[in-house]
Amino acid sequence: MFDFSTPPDMQLLVDTVRRFVTQEVQPLENETEALGHVPLEALQRVRGKAQELGLFAMNMPEDCGGGGLDNVTMCLVEEEFGKTSDALIRRVFGQVYPMLLPCNAAQREKYLLPTVKGDKICAMAITEPGAGSDAASISTTARLDGDHWVLNGGKHFISDGDIADYVIVMALTDKEKRARGGITLFLVDKGTPGFSVNRVQPMMGHRGYGHAELSFDECRIPVDAVLGEVGGGFKLIMNSVAGIRLAHIGARAVGMASRVLEMMRTYAAERKQFGQPIGDFQMVQQMIADSATEIFATRMMVLNTAWELDQGREPRDKVSMVKLYASEMIGRVADRGIQVFGGMGFCKDLPLERIYRDSRVTRLYDGTSEIHRMLIAKAVIKNGLVL
């Protein structure tokens, strides 16, 4: 069974992250949203403090300079991250993908270690116009030509694709096999001939960092640019995605929703209409009660599933449940938050409007809600409900 107690050292870390997010990071939200990027001077100052406190790249192992946190602790930390914007999380605390861990010795020195230190930025180039939730349907190809691989194709919605120093590109190396061993990951440096960063796509939310279109036109990269093994790309992605979905969607949704609920709670006690606090009205109480219940349920789902990962299990069905429920929960809570605040909730003076926009995409990336419902249903029909 999952131990619900929090060891003192874990609680100290979570408390430290909570204070840091509140005192150092949240004050940068409005300017980041207005500028479309994190203000450089403030970023250098705040990220430097995060690095001094050991709060950078906490998801990575200690032997490469990361925090070495287990999944449960990382999810507790990610709850606190969720109380600010995604752009600031990326820039201040580091966006280091676990897919980099199979780097060989040379790649480790060139890519992994500098990224963990914050000296390089990496982007994941998977999504294509014709391949979203069905990543195996990508059309970007890589063919071997002597001592080089030649990439051809295009990607879009690539977070940080405009500023990344290098990208991890998913490409077909065997069109017949695809997900069964025909997909490979490649490390491609910005500036490589044939690799172009095209339009930065305007988005409803997640402002403060770019989402770019990338193209590869006879892009020649060294034969040793393969990350992991040839044909092992899809498996590598799938082995990493559970932790990412739990942390970046499940735990962050809990943190984001908790921030909204706290705002609702305070406002309901202070705001008066018809001579009484609006918190006395049953409909407002219902919105607060439903939000609190759903946040609690999501948190337990996240922590239980993270604990199973730490035990060496593969709770894929539960990860899909978490991704589905958390992404839809934050949408409901954000909507209720705006309803409780009324016109002020719709105003950019408060973070609710941004949270409402930012929460919408969580039902789309890393598999849509519809895809995860299908996966959950198939698993239950085949195996029954596994608790």
Side-chain angles (χ1 to χ4, degrees):
M1 290 294 293
F2 172 62
D3 182 358
F4 287 88
S5 63
T6 305
D9 56 341
M10 182 190 297
Q11 190 60 55
L12 178 62
L13 173 62
V14 173
D15 291 343
T16 300
V17 175
R18 180 180 299 124
R19 287 192 300 270
F20 194 88
V21 168
T22 302
Q23 298 171 10
E24 301 286 350
V25 184
Q26 287 181 356
L28 302 178
E29 290 175 356
N30 289 341
E31 188 174 6
T32 297
E33 185 81 3
L35 291 174
H37 62 83
V38 184
L40 182 59
E41 184 177 341
L43 171 60
Q44 292 174 337
R45 171 179 55 82
V46 175
R47 185 171 64 184
K49 288 184 179 180
Q51 290 171 321
E52 289 176 7
L53 291 170
L55 305 182
F56 196 86
M58 286 185 281
N59 65 313
M60 301 303 284
E62 290 181 305
D63 63 8
C64 63
L69 302 185
D70 58 28
N71 285 287
V72 169
T73 309
M74 195 65 226
C75 282
L76 291 173
V77 167
E78 289 278 4
E79 279 188 29
E80 303 307 320
F81 287 175
K83 296 174 183 178
T84 190
S85 72
D86 196 65
L88 286 164
I89 299 169
R90 287 171 172 270
R91 297 287 86 82
V92 173
F93 300 109
Q95 182 77 16
V96 187
Y97 296 100
M99 282 71 79
L100 286 169
L101 291 176
C103 279
N104 60 35
Q107 293 169 343
R108 180 183 173 92
E109 294 297 322
K110 184 177 180 180
Y111 299 106
L112 177 60
L113 297 184
T115 307
V116 172
K117 290 179 182 177
D119 296 334
K120 284 190 174 183
I121 295 175
C122 173
M124 282 294 305
I126 297 176
T127 305
E128 300 178 3
S133 295
D134 182 13
S137 65
I138 59 170
S139 59
T140 297
T141 61
R143 72 175 190 275
L144 192 59
D145 182 18
D147 57 357
H148 284 79
W149 288 95
V150 182
L151 292 174
N152 282 286
K155 305 288 183 177
H156 74 164
F157 301 155
I158 306 307
S159 301
D160 289 333
D162 54 329
I163 64 170
D165 298 287
Y166 67 98
V167 295
I168 302 173
V169 182
M170 176 185 273
L172 280 172
T173 45
D174 188 325
K175 295 182 180 180
E176 298 300 320
K177 291 183 178 179
R178 291 189 173 268
R180 299 187 303 276
I183 291 176
T184 304
L185 299 183
F186 297 91
L187 295 161
V188 185
D189 293 311
K190 180 172 287 185
T192 302
F195 171 25
S196 301
V197 178
N198 303 321
R199 184 174 66 113
V200 175
Q201 297 165 280
M203 296 292 181
M204 174 193 296
H206 281 230
R207 296 174 185 169
Y209 66 104
H211 306 81
E213 294 176 335
L214 311 180
S215 61
F216 304 92
D217 183 9
E218 291 294 298
C219 177
R220 299 180 67 86
I221 55 176
V223 70
D224 59 2
V226 172
L227 177 59
E229 300 178 352
V230 174
F234 193 79
K235 182 179 180 181
L236 182 54
I237 292 290
M238 290 298 103
N239 287 343
S240 303
V241 76
I244 293 174
R245 284 171 176 163
L246 278 179
H248 292 187
I249 299 176
R252 287 185 190 178
V254 171
M256 192 184 302
S258 297
R259 183 180 181 184
V260 173
L261 179 61
E262 179 59 22
M263 294 178 67
M264 292 165 63
R265 183 192 70 82
T266 302
Y267 192 71
E270 296 175 351
R271 172 69 167 169
K272 291 186 177 180
Q273 290 286 277
F274 306 104
Q276 60 183 313
I278 63 171
D280 289 348
F281 301 145
Q282 288 186 349
M283 294 304 292
V284 173
Q285 292 175 353
Q286 178 180 336
M287 287 188 280
I288 290 174
D290 287 350
S291 297
T293 302
E294 291 180 16
I295 292 169
F296 174 67
T298 307
R299 191 170 197 253
M300 293 301 99
M301 292 173 68
V302 169
L303 294 178
N304 175 261
T305 308
W307 176 81
E308 288 204 12
L309 282 176
D310 286 336
Q311 304 309 304
R313 303 177 189 175
E314 295 185 2
R316 293 183 180 180
D317 304 346
K318 289 186 176 182
V319 170
S320 282
M321 293 177 191
V322 168
K323 199 282 176 184
L324 168 65
Y325 192 79
S327 63
E328 300 203 344
M329 176 277 293
I330 181 54
R332 291 190 293 268
V333 173
D335 186 73
R336 293 181 194 127
I338 290 179
Q339 196 68 21
V340 167
F341 274 79
M344 284 303 300
F346 198 68
C347 179
K348 288 183 178 291
D349 288 346
L350 297 178
L352 284 172
E353 180 268 348
R354 174 187 60 78
I355 292 171
Y356 184 82
R357 286 185 287 104
D358 286 353
S359 67
R360 183 59 182 87
V361 76
T362 60
R363 284 181 268 167
L364 303 176
Y365 62 61
D366 276 324
T368 64
S369 292
E370 291 73 24
I371 290 293
H372 283 284
R373 281 190 169 92
M374 179 184 70
L375 294 173
I376 294 165
K378 285 184 176 180
V380 171
I381 291 170
K382 180 180 180 180
N383 303 315
L385 180 61
V386 180
L387 300 176

